[in-house]
Amino acid sequence: GKGFLNEPMRYDVLDGKAQELVVSGLQPDTRYSVQVAALTRKGDGDRSPPVSIKTPGGVPNRPNVNLKILEREPTVTIELEWTRPSQTYGELLGYRLRYGVKDQPLKEEMLKGTSVSHHRINDLERGVEYEFRVAGENHIGFGQETIKYLATPEGPPSGPPTNISYHFQTPDVVSVTWTAPLREHRNGQITRYDVQFHKKADRTTIIDRNTTATK
Protein backbone atom coordinates (compact mmCIF):
# COMPACT_ATOMS: atom_id res chain seq x y z
CA GLY A 1 0.00 0.00 0.00
CA LYS A 2 0.95 3.65 0.08
CA GLY A 3 3.53 4.94 2.56
CA PHE A 4 5.66 1.77 2.50
CA LEU A 5 9.41 2.11 2.02
CA ASN A 6 9.77 -1.08 0.00
CA GLU A 7 7.99 -4.09 -1.37
CA PRO A 8 6.10 -5.98 1.36
CA MET A 9 7.50 -9.28 2.61
CA ARG A 10 4.89 -11.92 1.76
CA TYR A 11 4.51 -15.20 3.60
CA ASP A 12 2.26 -18.05 2.43
CA VAL A 13 0.92 -20.10 5.34
CA LEU A 14 -0.14 -23.37 3.75
CA ASP A 15 -2.36 -24.53 6.62
CA GLY A 16 -5.98 -23.38 6.67
CA LYS A 17 -6.18 -24.01 10.44
CA ALA A 18 -3.05 -21.95 11.25
CA GLN A 19 -3.40 -18.90 13.46
CA GLU A 20 0.26 -18.05 13.98
CA LEU A 21 3.39 -17.21 11.97
CA VAL A 22 6.87 -16.59 13.39
CA VAL A 23 8.87 -14.08 11.34
CA SER A 24 12.65 -13.79 11.73
CA GLY A 25 15.29 -11.54 10.22
CA LEU A 26 13.60 -8.23 11.06
CA GLN A 27 15.64 -5.06 11.43
CA PRO A 28 16.01 -3.69 14.99
CA ASP A 29 14.50 -0.35 15.97
CA THR A 30 12.20 -0.40 12.93
CA ARG A 31 8.44 0.09 12.48
CA TYR A 32 6.57 -2.57 10.48
CA SER A 33 2.96 -2.78 9.33
CA VAL A 34 1.33 -6.24 9.30
CA GLN A 35 -1.80 -7.38 7.43
CA VAL A 36 -3.30 -10.86 7.09
CA ALA A 37 -5.66 -12.19 4.42
CA ALA A 38 -7.39 -15.55 4.13
CA LEU A 39 -7.59 -17.46 0.85
CA THR A 40 -9.90 -20.08 -0.59
CA ARG A 41 -9.50 -21.96 -3.84
CA LYS A 42 -11.33 -19.07 -5.50
CA GLY A 43 -8.84 -16.40 -4.43
CA ASP A 44 -7.81 -13.81 -1.83
CA GLY A 45 -10.12 -12.40 0.80
CA ASP A 46 -9.96 -8.92 2.29
CA ARG A 47 -6.81 -7.90 4.09
CA SER A 48 -7.10 -7.11 7.80
CA PRO A 49 -6.57 -3.51 8.93
CA PRO A 50 -2.82 -2.92 9.37
CA VAL A 51 -1.29 -3.57 12.78
CA SER A 52 1.80 -1.50 13.56
CA ILE A 53 4.80 -3.19 15.20
CA LYS A 54 8.02 -1.53 16.33
CA THR A 55 10.95 -3.87 16.89
CA PRO A 56 13.13 -3.21 19.93
CA GLY A 57 16.56 -1.69 19.48
CA GLY A 58 19.40 -3.93 18.46
CA VAL A 59 22.82 -4.51 19.99
CA PRO A 60 26.07 -3.77 18.13
CA ASN A 61 27.28 -6.31 15.60
CA ARG A 62 30.70 -7.95 15.80
CA PRO A 63 33.84 -5.79 15.71
CA ASN A 64 36.83 -6.95 13.66
CA VAL A 65 39.59 -8.09 16.05
CA ASN A 66 43.31 -8.70 15.47
CA LEU A 67 45.90 -10.19 17.85
CA LYS A 68 49.61 -9.39 18.05
CA ILE A 69 52.28 -11.00 20.26
CA LEU A 70 54.47 -8.20 21.65
CA GLU A 71 56.75 -10.10 24.07
CA ARG A 72 57.62 -13.78 24.51
CA GLU A 73 60.06 -13.66 27.46
CA PRO A 74 59.80 -14.21 30.39
CA THR A 75 56.02 -14.29 29.95
CA VAL A 76 53.83 -13.51 26.95
CA THR A 77 52.38 -10.03 26.31
CA ILE A 78 49.78 -9.58 23.57
CA GLU A 79 47.82 -6.66 22.16
CA LEU A 80 44.25 -6.86 20.92
CA GLU A 81 43.15 -4.34 18.29
CA TRP A 82 39.61 -3.95 17.00
CA THR A 83 37.50 -1.79 14.74
CA ARG A 84 34.23 -0.11 15.70
CA PRO A 85 31.16 -2.28 14.94
CA SER A 86 29.67 -1.30 11.57
CA GLN A 87 26.15 -1.27 13.14
CA THR A 88 25.79 0.12 16.66
CA TYR A 89 21.96 0.67 16.72
CA GLY A 90 22.33 3.67 19.00
CA GLU A 91 25.20 5.29 20.84
CA LEU A 92 28.22 3.03 21.40
CA LEU A 93 29.14 3.11 25.12
CA GLY A 94 32.26 0.94 25.14
CA TYR A 95 33.40 -2.65 24.94
CA ARG A 96 33.50 -5.83 27.00
CA LEU A 97 36.61 -8.03 26.82
CA ARG A 98 36.53 -11.61 28.10
CA TYR A 99 39.59 -13.83 27.94
CA GLY A 100 41.33 -16.79 29.51
CA VAL A 101 42.79 -20.22 28.89
CA LYS A 102 40.43 -22.14 26.60
CA ASP A 103 37.86 -24.24 28.52
CA GLN A 104 38.68 -22.42 31.80
CA PRO A 105 36.59 -19.61 33.39
CA LEU A 106 37.13 -16.32 31.53
CA LYS A 107 38.20 -13.01 33.08
CA GLU A 108 36.07 -9.99 32.20
CA GLU A 109 37.13 -6.38 31.66
CA MET A 110 34.86 -3.44 30.87
CA LEU A 111 36.45 -0.83 28.60
CA LYS A 112 34.36 2.35 28.71
CA GLY A 113 34.46 4.94 25.95
CA THR A 114 34.17 4.63 22.19
CA SER A 115 37.72 5.80 21.48
CA VAL A 116 39.19 2.61 23.00
CA SER A 117 40.28 0.34 20.15
CA HIS A 118 43.16 -1.68 21.59
CA HIS A 119 44.12 -3.34 24.86
CA ARG A 120 47.37 -4.90 26.11
CA ILE A 121 47.39 -8.05 28.25
CA ASN A 122 50.54 -9.06 30.16
CA ASP A 123 51.71 -12.22 31.92
CA LEU A 124 49.94 -14.81 29.79
CA GLU A 125 50.95 -18.42 30.37
CA ARG A 126 53.17 -19.99 27.75
CA GLY A 127 52.35 -23.05 25.70
CA VAL A 128 48.56 -22.93 26.15
CA GLU A 129 45.60 -21.96 23.95
CA TYR A 130 43.85 -18.74 24.94
CA GLU A 131 40.38 -17.53 23.99
CA PHE A 132 39.57 -13.82 23.55
CA ARG A 133 36.05 -12.37 23.14
CA VAL A 134 35.28 -8.72 22.29
CA ALA A 135 31.77 -7.19 22.12
CA GLY A 136 30.46 -3.63 21.81
CA GLU A 137 27.90 -2.16 24.22
CA ASN A 138 24.99 0.21 23.60
CA HIS A 139 21.97 1.27 25.70
CA ILE A 140 20.29 -2.11 25.06
CA GLY A 141 23.25 -4.23 26.17
CA PHE A 142 26.25 -6.12 24.85
CA GLY A 143 26.47 -7.05 21.20
CA GLN A 144 27.67 -10.08 19.33
CA GLU A 145 31.10 -11.33 20.43
CA THR A 146 34.04 -11.75 18.11
CA ILE A 147 35.98 -14.83 19.28
CA LYS A 148 39.70 -15.28 18.62
CA TYR A 149 42.07 -18.07 19.69
CA LEU A 150 45.82 -17.85 20.24
CA ALA A 151 48.32 -20.60 21.09
CA THR A 152 51.04 -18.85 23.09
CA PRO A 153 54.69 -19.76 22.36
CA GLU A 154 56.24 -22.54 24.43
CA GLY A 155 59.06 -22.08 26.95
CA PRO A 156 60.98 -24.35 29.35
CA PRO A 157 59.03 -25.43 32.45
CA SER A 158 59.28 -22.86 35.26
CA GLY A 159 58.49 -25.32 38.05
CA PRO A 160 59.52 -28.90 38.92
CA PRO A 161 57.48 -32.11 38.77
CA THR A 162 55.38 -32.62 41.91
CA ASN A 163 54.31 -35.42 44.27
CA ILE A 164 57.60 -37.32 44.00
CA SER A 165 57.51 -40.65 45.85
CA TYR A 166 59.23 -44.05 45.71
CA HIS A 167 58.87 -47.65 46.73
CA PHE A 168 61.25 -50.62 46.59
CA GLN A 169 60.31 -53.44 44.27
CA THR A 170 63.28 -55.50 45.48
CA PRO A 171 66.09 -54.44 47.85
CA ASP A 172 68.11 -53.07 44.91
CA VAL A 173 65.30 -51.87 42.60
CA VAL A 174 63.40 -48.71 43.43
CA SER A 175 60.38 -47.30 41.59
CA VAL A 176 60.15 -43.49 41.54
CA THR A 177 56.84 -41.81 40.63
CA TRP A 178 55.86 -38.17 40.05
CA THR A 179 53.20 -35.99 38.49
CA ALA A 180 53.69 -33.21 35.95
CA PRO A 181 54.54 -29.65 37.03
CA LEU A 182 51.53 -27.48 37.85
CA ARG A 183 49.75 -26.31 34.68
CA GLU A 184 50.86 -22.69 35.05
CA HIS A 185 54.50 -23.89 35.27
CA ARG A 186 54.50 -26.31 32.31
CA ASN A 187 54.85 -23.60 29.62
CA GLY A 188 54.02 -26.12 26.91
CA GLN A 189 53.56 -29.83 26.22
CA ILE A 190 55.87 -31.93 28.43
CA THR A 191 57.81 -34.29 26.13
CA ARG A 192 60.19 -36.07 28.56
CA TYR A 193 61.74 -36.01 32.04
CA ASP A 194 65.32 -36.03 33.31
CA VAL A 195 65.85 -38.09 36.49
CA GLN A 196 69.12 -37.88 38.50
CA PHE A 197 70.36 -40.24 41.23
CA HIS A 198 73.42 -39.58 43.35
CA LYS A 199 74.77 -40.96 46.59
CA LYS A 200 73.91 -38.74 49.51
CA ALA A 201 77.44 -37.92 50.71
CA ASP A 202 79.23 -38.37 47.38
CA ARG A 203 78.12 -36.08 44.57
CA THR A 204 80.81 -37.46 42.26
CA THR A 205 78.65 -40.49 41.52
CA ILE A 206 75.69 -39.13 39.58
CA ILE A 207 73.51 -41.53 37.62
CA ASP A 208 71.45 -39.88 34.86
CA ARG A 209 68.23 -41.39 33.69
CA ASN A 210 66.31 -39.87 30.78
CA THR A 211 62.76 -41.00 30.34
CA THR A 212 60.31 -40.21 27.58
CA ALA A 213 57.41 -41.60 29.58
CA THR A 214 55.10 -39.08 31.23
CA LYS A 215 54.38 -40.55 34.64
Side-chain angles (χ1 to χ4, degrees), residues 6-7 38 54 59 63 70-72 78 88 97 108-109 120 127 131 139-140 146 149 152 155 194 200:
N6 48 24
E7 283 292 305
K54 186 171 187 299
V59 291
L70 301 182
E71 293 174 21
R72 297 167 183 263
I78 65 113
T88 59
L97 166 63
E108 187 170 291
E109 292 190 38
R120 185 174 294 202
E131 179 178 319
H139 65 290
I140 299 286
T146 298
Y149 296 100
T152 54
D194 175 30
K200 193 76 172 171

Side-chain angles (χ1 to χ4, degrees), residues 21-138:
L21 172 67
V22 176
V23 180
S24 60
L26 300 179
Q27 292 296 312
D29 201 19
T30 304
R31 194 168 291 283
Y32 288 89
S33 182
V34 182
Q35 291 177 288
V36 183
L39 286 77
T40 65
R41 280 190 284 263
K42 294 296 185 182
D44 295 24
D46 289 341
R47 297 197 168 276
S48 64
V51 173
S52 183
I53 297 172
K54 186 171 187 299
T55 55
V59 291
N61 64 357
R62 290 182 180 88
N64 283 324
V65 178
N66 287 310
L67 287 170
K68 285 192 303 193
I69 296 179
L70 301 182
E71 293 174 21
R72 297 167 183 263
E73 302 285 345
T75 56
V76 177
T77 297
I78 65 113
E79 187 162 70
L80 288 157
E81 289 185 329
W82 58 86
T83 58
R84 182 186 174 92
S86 59
Q87 298 279 358
T88 59
Y89 300 114
E91 184 188 354
L92 187 67
L93 302 176
Y95 297 91
R96 180 183 65 190
L97 166 63
R98 300 198 298 149
Y99 72 94
V101 177
K102 193 178 173 198
D103 302 324
Q104 301 282 330
L106 299 177
K107 298 177 186 173
E108 187 170 291
E109 292 190 38
M110 309 307 297
L111 308 170
K112 292 298 183 185
T114 57
S115 60
V116 181
S117 62
H118 54 89
H119 187 68
R120 185 174 294 202
I121 304 174
N122 303 310
D123 298 327
L124 296 182
E125 292 178 33
R126 295 199 283 180
V128 293
E129 188 168 23
Y130 272 89
E131 179 178 319
F132 301 89
R133 295 169 171 255
V134 181
E137 180 188 11
N138 68 5

Side-chain angles (χ1 to χ4, degrees), residues 156-169:
S158 54
T162 55
N163 299 325
I164 295 173
S165 64
Y166 68 90
H167 70 272
F168 283 95
Q169 294 178 343

Side-chain angles (χ1 to χ4, degrees), residues 1-26:
K2 293 172 185 169
F4 290 130
L5 294 174
N6 48 24
E7 283 292 305
M9 298 179 287
R10 295 181 64 106
Y11 298 91
D12 291 326
V13 182
L14 303 176
D15 178 359
K17 297 184 176 66
Q19 294 184 311
E20 181 182 64
L21 172 67
V22 176
V23 180
S24 60
L26 300 179

